Amino acid sequence: MATRFLISLLLISGYALTSATTAENTEFGRPLNRKLAGWNKKKQLTHFKFYWHEVVGGNNATAAIIIPSLPQYNSTSHFGSTRVIDAPLTLGPELSSKHVGRAEGFYAVTSRTDLELLMILSFNFFEGKYNGSGITVLGRNLALNKTRELPVVGGSGVFRFAKGYAELKTYFVEPISGSSIVEYNLYVLHY
């Protein structure tokens, strides 16, 4: 992995030095040889299933309001409310089950009438061959629907150039606090 990165870095910096010395060259991007850059692997589709645990309030909160809702929407949709999150990801719905990563990011309530969220999340894994790698999702979450879908927009580590989708299903919601457990099924296409 480090060798491929070094080769990619040398190819890119060699191109930058060559471009900088040629005054007439106005090209700012060019195709690279995939094999020399280490991207000669075939794409694979990987399925992940885990549970996201959001705890709102208390000593062990995994979500915190950073922008409160606008006063006129406080009792209806909480429009404008924005939370930052750092939530555990587990294999089973119980918080005591095996932890495989963390979800870090934020979401904002973007509808004045319904519970609709714009979510930007990075699923950072620390288990097995995915240790140190992450998957990023960004999209609209219609939180009250039984099943929702968010696009996978990228990743890091073994998930570079990742794309795909995440399917969400609410497993449990505590109605007073808003704490929840959400089942995530990710289908990720990557090299």
Side-chain angles (χ1 to χ4, degrees), residues 16 26 33 58 107 133 177 181:
T26 59
N33 183 324
Y107 61 84
S133 297
S177 71
I181 302 169

Side-chain angles (χ1 to χ4, degrees), residues 47-171:
H47 171 242
F48 294 92
K49 180 179 178 180
F50 51 78
Y51 291 84
W52 176 62
H53 298 264
E54 179 182 38
V55 178
V56 179
N59 292 337
N60 295 318
T62 63
I65 293 178
I66 57 174
I67 301 172
S69 63
L70 300 173
Q72 65 266 38
Y73 300 107
N74 201 17
S75 63
T76 54
S77 70
H78 297 280
F79 179 60
S81 176
T82 304
R83 293 179 190 250
V84 64
I85 62 160
D86 180 10
L89 304 175
T90 61
L91 284 182
E94 300 81 22
L95 188 56
S96 60
S97 66
K98 185 174 186 169
H99 286 231
V100 294
R102 300 202 66 79
E104 297 170 337
F106 61 93
Y107 61 84
V109 179
T110 55
S111 172
R112 293 180 294 164
T113 57
D114 297 312
L115 187 55
E116 295 179 13
L117 313 172
L118 172 63
M119 302 188 78
I120 301 172
L121 299 173
S122 179
F123 297 116
N124 302 307
F125 301 112
F126 48 71
E127 185 61 34
K129 68 180 180 179
Y130 305 114
N131 183 23
S133 297
I135 296 171
T136 304
V137 299
L138 181 149
R140 179 177 175 227
N141 179 354
L142 303 171
L144 297 180
N145 286 5
K146 182 177 179 180
T147 303
R148 291 91 69 198
E149 191 174 297
L150 295 173
V152 169
V153 297
S156 61
V158 299
F159 300 113
R160 289 185 193 117
F161 299 106
K163 60 182 176 178
Y165 70 97
E167 189 176 87
L168 294 66
K169 293 179 187 173
T170 302
Y171 180 82

